[in-house]
C-alpha cells in the first residue's frame, strides 16, 4: 500500500464525517490541528493554488513573483559588497565554492589572461603550515592536468608530489645520494629546429657559460668572477664546442690543463675557477651533477616531478645546485618544439629565493623567468608561508628587497590562506587589503583562501576535494610536514 503524501495544513477527517454525516471536532483538536504536519486525505496535486480553505492554514498563492530590479553588476557589487560577482564568470579547473557568492569557482591562468582579468599567468599562494595551501596547489594542478595543461615540479623537497604525478598519469624521478638518476647541469636539451647549426651552437655556448658562472657564484657564496676569469672560462667552453656531450668534469679538466699557448694570467685564472669547481668533481658534491644525464624530461607527460627529498641532509650548496639543475633542465627541455602551456610549481619558494648560498641568484633567476614567462607560455606558482619571508631578502628599500617585492607584484593572482595575527598588518600593506579583506583573512578556516585576481576581483574560495583526493593530496597522511 502506497504511503499517503504529507502536506502542510490539515483537513480533519471528522469535518467530512462518515457517509456524509458532519461531526464537530473537539476544542483540543481545533486548537492544535492547524499547526501539525499531518497526512491529508487528498493528494498534494489536488491542492488549490491558494491552499485548502481551513482556519489557520495561512492560505496564499504558491507562485510568488517579486518585482524585478535591474542594475549593472558594478552597482550591484557596491550595494551588496562581496555577495555579488562584478564581472564575467571565469572558466578553468574547478576549485570549490566561492563563499561570497555561493557559486562554483573555477580558474585557469591562461583563460583568465585571455579574458583580460589578469596581466600575467603567475600565481602566489601564501599561508602558514596547516592551512591547506599545499592541498590547493595539488588539487588545482592535478585538475588542470586533466584538462590538458602540463605541470612540472622541479623541486619536491618532501616527496609529496610523486603520488600526485602517479594519480594523473605523469612521471617522476628522484635525485640525490644513493639515487641512480643523474641530471647534467650542462645538458643542451632538445634542439630548436628554428636554429641553424651555428646559431644553435652559439645558444648552447651561452647557456653553458651562464650556468657555470652561476655555479661558481653559488659555490663562492655570491662572489662574482673577475674579468680575467671570464676570459679563462670562455676559452675552456669554446674548446669543448665540438663535443656532443659536455659535463662539468670536462670543464674542470680544461681549466686545470689549459692550452700551453694561453697567457699565464689567463691560465692562473682558470686554475682559480677549477678550485671553485673541484667540490663538484671530487669533493662533497661529487656524484650528483657531474655526469651525463641518465633521464630525459618527458615534455608530453601530464605532470613531471623531480623528487629531491633525498637531499634533505645534504649541504646548502648541494641543495642550491639541485634547484639550479632541475629548474634549468626543465626550462631547456620545454623550449622549441616542446613549448606549450605549462605550470611550474615552486614548492618552498622562500627557500629558493632566500638561499644564502646563492647571494640572490635564485631570486634573479625567478625575476628573469617572469620576463619571458608569457613568451614561453609558463605559469609560475610560488608557495610561500608569509610575506615577511620576502623581507628577509636584504634591508628594507634595498635593491634585493625591492626585486623580491617586484616578483610578488608580478603575480596578478594572489591566494592568501590563514595567517598569524601578527602578519596581517604587513600582508595588508604589501597585498593591498582593505579593512574587510584583512578581517576576512583573519577569520579564514582551513581550506579557505582569499583570492585576489587582477585589480578588482576578489573571491573567498573553499577548496573542495573528494575523500579519495584528500588521501593523495594531504601532507598529514604519513606524518609529513603540514602545508
Amino acid at each position: 500500500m502506497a504511503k499517503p503524501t504529507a502536506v502542510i495544513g490539515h483537513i480533519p477527517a471528522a469535518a467530512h464525517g462518515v457517509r456524509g454525516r458532519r461531526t464537530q471536532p473537539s476544542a483540543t483538536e481545533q486548537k492544535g490541528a492547524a499547526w501539525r504536519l499531518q497526512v491529508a486525505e487528498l493528494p498534494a496535486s489536488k491542492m488549490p493554488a491558494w491552499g485548502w480553505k481551513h482556519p489557520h492554514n495561512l492560505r496564499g498563492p504558491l507562485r510568488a513573483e517579486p518585482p524585478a530590479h535591474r542594475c549593472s553588476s558594478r552597482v550591484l557589487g557596491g550595494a551588496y559588497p562581496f555577495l555579488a560577482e562584478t564581472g564575467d564568470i571565469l572558466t578553468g579547473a574547478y576549485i570549490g565554492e566561492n563563499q561570497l557568492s555561493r557559486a562554483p569557482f573555477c580558474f585557469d591562468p591562461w583563460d583568465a589572461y585571455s579574458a583580460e582579468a589578469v596581466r600575467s599567468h603567475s600565481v602566489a599562494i601564501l599561508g602558514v603550515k596547516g592551512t591547506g595551501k599545499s592541498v590547493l596547489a595539488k588539487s588545482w594542478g592535478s585538475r588542470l592536468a586533466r584538462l590538458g595543461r602540463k605541470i612540472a615540479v622541479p623541486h619536491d623537497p618532501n616527496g609529496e608530489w610523486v603520488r600526485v604525478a602517479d594519480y594523473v598519469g605523469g612521471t617522476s624521478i628522484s635525485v640525490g645520494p644513493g639515487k641512480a638518476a643523474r641530471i647534467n647541469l650542462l645538458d643542451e636539451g632538445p634542439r630548436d629546429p628554428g636554429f641553424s647549426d651555428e646559431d644553435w651552437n652559439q645558444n648552447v655556448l651561452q647557456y653553458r657559460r651562464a650556468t657555470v658562472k652561476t655555479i661558481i657564484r653559488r659555490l663562492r657564496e655570491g662572489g662574482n668572477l673577475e674579468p680575467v676569469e671570464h676570459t679563462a672560462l670562455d676559452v675552456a667552453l669554446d674548446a669543448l664546442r665540438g663535443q656532443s656531450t659536455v659535463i662539468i668534469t670536462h670543464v674542470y679538466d680544461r681549466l686545470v690543463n689549459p692550452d700551453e699557448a694561453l697567457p699565464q694570467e689567463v691560465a692562473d685564472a682558470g686554475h682559480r675557477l677549477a678550485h671553485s669547481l673541484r667540490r663538484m668533481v671530487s669533493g662533497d658534491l661529487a656524484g650528483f651533477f657531474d655526469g651525463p644525464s641518465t633521464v630525459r624530461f618527458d615534455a608530453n607527460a601530464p605532470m613531471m616531478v623531480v623528487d629531491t627529498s633525498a637531499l634533505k641532509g645534504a649541504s646548502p650548496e648541494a641543495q642550491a645546485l639541485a634547484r639550479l639543475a632541475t629548474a634549468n633542465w626543465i626550462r631547456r627541455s620545454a623550449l622549441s618544439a616542446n613549448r606549450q602551456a605549462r605550470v611550474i610549481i615552486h614548492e618552498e619558494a622562500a627557500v629558493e629565493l632566500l638561499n644564502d648560498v646563492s647571494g640572490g641568484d635564485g631570486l634573479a633567476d625567478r625575476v628573469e623567468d617572469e620576463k619571458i614567462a608569457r613568451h614561453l607560455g609558463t605559469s609560475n606558482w610560488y608557495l610561500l608561508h608569509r610575506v615577511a619571508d620576502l623581507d628577509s631578502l636584504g634591508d628594507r628599500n634595498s635593491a634585493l628587497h625591492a626585486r623580491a617585492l617586484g616578483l610578488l607584484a608580478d603575480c596578478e593572482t594572489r591566494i592568501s590562506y590563514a595567517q598569524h595575527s601578527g602578519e596581517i598588518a604587513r600582508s595588508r600593506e604589501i597585498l593591498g587589503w582593505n579593512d574587510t579583506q584583512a578581517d576576512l583573512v583573519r577569520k579564514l578556516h582551513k581550506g579557505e583562501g582569499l583570492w585576489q585576481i587582477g585589480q578588482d576581483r576578489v573571491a573567498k574560495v573553499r577548496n573542495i576535494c573528494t575523500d579519495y583526493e584528500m588521501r593523495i593530496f594531504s601532507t598529514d597522511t604519513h606524518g609529513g610536514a603540514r602545508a
Side-chain angles (χ1 to χ4, degrees):
M1 179 177 181
K3 185 177 180 180
T5 303
V7 297
I8 296 178
H10 171 56
I11 305 178
H16 297 277
V18 180
R19 296 181 182 179
R21 292 182 299 173
R22 182 180 180 84
T23 60
Q24 294 293 332
S26 65
T28 304
E29 291 175 337
Q30 287 182 339
K31 183 177 181 180
W35 309 106
R36 294 195 301 268
L37 181 64
Q38 299 191 14
V39 177
E41 290 185 341
L42 297 176
S45 60
K46 301 292 185 179
M47 186 171 64
W50 283 71
W52 298 110
K53 186 177 180 180
H54 190 271
H56 311 300
N57 259 17
L58 301 177
R59 300 171 67 222
L62 297 178
R63 295 178 294 277
E65 297 182 0
H69 178 73
R70 296 181 179 274
C71 67
S72 67
S73 59
R74 182 183 296 274
V75 172
L76 189 61
Y80 300 95
F82 301 107
L83 295 178
E85 295 286 351
T86 59
D88 297 333
I89 296 176
L90 297 173
T91 60
Y94 175 74
I95 307 297
E97 180 189 49
N98 184 353
Q99 296 182 306
L100 302 180
S101 64
R102 299 300 179 186
F105 183 84
C106 303
F107 196 84
D108 177 275
W110 290 271
D111 289 353
Y113 181 80
S114 298
E116 299 184 353
V118 296
R119 292 173 294 187
S120 74
H121 301 114
S122 297
V123 178
I125 307 177
L126 303 98
V128 297
K129 291 182 178 180
T131 57
K133 71 176 186 298
S134 185
V135 173
L136 168 69
K138 293 169 185 172
S139 62
W140 186 14
S142 63
R143 291 168 187 176
L144 283 175
R146 299 288 188 187
L147 297 179
R149 303 300 188 191
K150 306 301 181 184
I151 315 295
V153 184
H155 177 53
D156 181 15
N158 298 316
E160 300 168 358
W161 284 86
V162 174
R163 57 181 183 268
V164 182
D166 292 338
Y167 171 62
V168 299
T171 58
S172 60
I173 63 171
S174 181
V175 298
K179 304 296 183 179
R182 292 287 184 273
I183 297 177
N184 180 13
L185 281 160
L186 305 181
D187 198 344
E188 66 179 34
R191 175 170 175 170
D192 190 330
F195 283 84
S196 64
D197 291 344
E198 182 60 29
D199 289 342
W200 178 247
N201 290 335
Q202 189 64 27
N203 178 276
V204 172
L205 178 62
Q206 291 177 358
Y207 164 69
R208 288 171 176 166
R209 181 190 297 120
T211 301
V212 175
K213 288 178 181 178
T214 301
I215 293 172
I216 293 173
R217 282 198 302 268
R218 295 191 179 187
L219 293 177
R220 288 181 173 181
E221 300 184 1
N224 290 318
L225 276 67
E226 299 175 3
V228 68
E229 291 178 330
H230 282 279
T231 301
L233 180 59
D234 288 343
V235 171
L237 290 174
D238 190 64
L240 298 170
R241 294 182 68 173
Q243 295 186 199
S244 58
T245 301
V246 176
I247 59 178
I248 203 69
T249 303
H250 297 156
V251 179
Y252 173 81
D253 291 340
R254 293 297 306 184
L255 292 172
V256 172
N257 303 301
D259 194 315
E260 294 181 356
L262 278 180
Q264 189 62 40
E265 182 184 17
V266 177
D268 292 341
H271 290 161
R272 291 197 297 272
L273 293 177
H275 282 298
S276 297
L277 292 176
R278 187 197 61 81
R279 292 176 61 188
M280 298 192 65
V281 178
S282 59
D284 59 319
L285 302 178
F288 290 170
F289 310 106
D290 54 347
S293 295
T294 59
V295 291
R296 296 188 64 84
F297 180 82
D298 188 355
N300 296 317
M303 181 178 292
M304 188 75 185
V305 175
V306 181
D307 178 10
T308 56
S309 58
L311 290 167
K312 268 190 173 297
S315 65
E317 292 85 355
Q319 297 186 34
L321 291 175
R323 286 188 288 270
L324 172 67
T326 55
N328 284 355
W329 183 57
I330 289 178
R331 186 187 301 113
R332 294 288 297 182
S333 299
L335 292 175
S336 64
N338 294 326
R339 185 177 301 172
Q340 51 191 310
R342 190 181 307 276
V343 175
I344 310 294
I345 301 177
H346 302 274
E347 275 277 5
E348 301 290 347
V351 176
E352 180 179 4
L353 301 179
L354 297 173
N355 189 1
D356 295 332
V357 178
S358 67
D361 277 344
L363 176 59
D365 290 345
R366 298 285 73 76
V367 171
E368 188 65 27
D369 280 349
E370 287 304 317
K371 294 179 181 179
I372 59 175
R374 284 183 293 180
H375 172 68
L376 297 179
T378 58
S379 172
N380 290 295
W381 294 5
Y382 302 101
L383 275 63
L384 300 164
H385 290 302
R386 53 191 178 180
V387 172
D389 288 341
L390 301 180
D391 291 338
S392 301
L393 273 168
D395 299 329
R396 294 280 183 95
N397 301 322
S398 66
L400 199 59
H401 184 253
R403 182 179 290 179
L405 296 183
L407 179 66
L408 183 60
D410 287 338
C411 298
E412 284 275 295
T413 304
R414 306 172 190 175
I415 309 164
S416 302
Y417 275 69
Q419 300 184 17
H420 296 306
S421 57
E423 304 287 340
I424 297 294
R426 182 58 176 162
S427 298
R428 177 176 178 175
E429 176 186 354
I430 299 300
L431 301 176
W433 296 339
N434 56 31
D435 291 341
T436 303
Q437 293 168 340
D439 187 62
L440 189 150
V441 172
R442 189 178 290 109
K443 299 177 181 179
L444 288 175
H445 297 95
K446 183 176 182 178
E448 297 175 349
L450 174 67
W451 287 60
Q452 295 172 268
I453 305 168
Q455 301 298 313
D456 55 2
R457 285 176 175 261
V458 177
K460 177 188 174 185
V461 182
R462 180 169 64 91
N463 185 23
I464 297 177
C465 299
T466 66
D467 292 339
Y468 181 77
E469 286 179 320
M470 285 304 299
R471 288 196 294 271
I472 298 172
F473 303 149
S474 178
T475 57
D476 294 334
T477 305
H478 301 293
R482 298 174 64 193

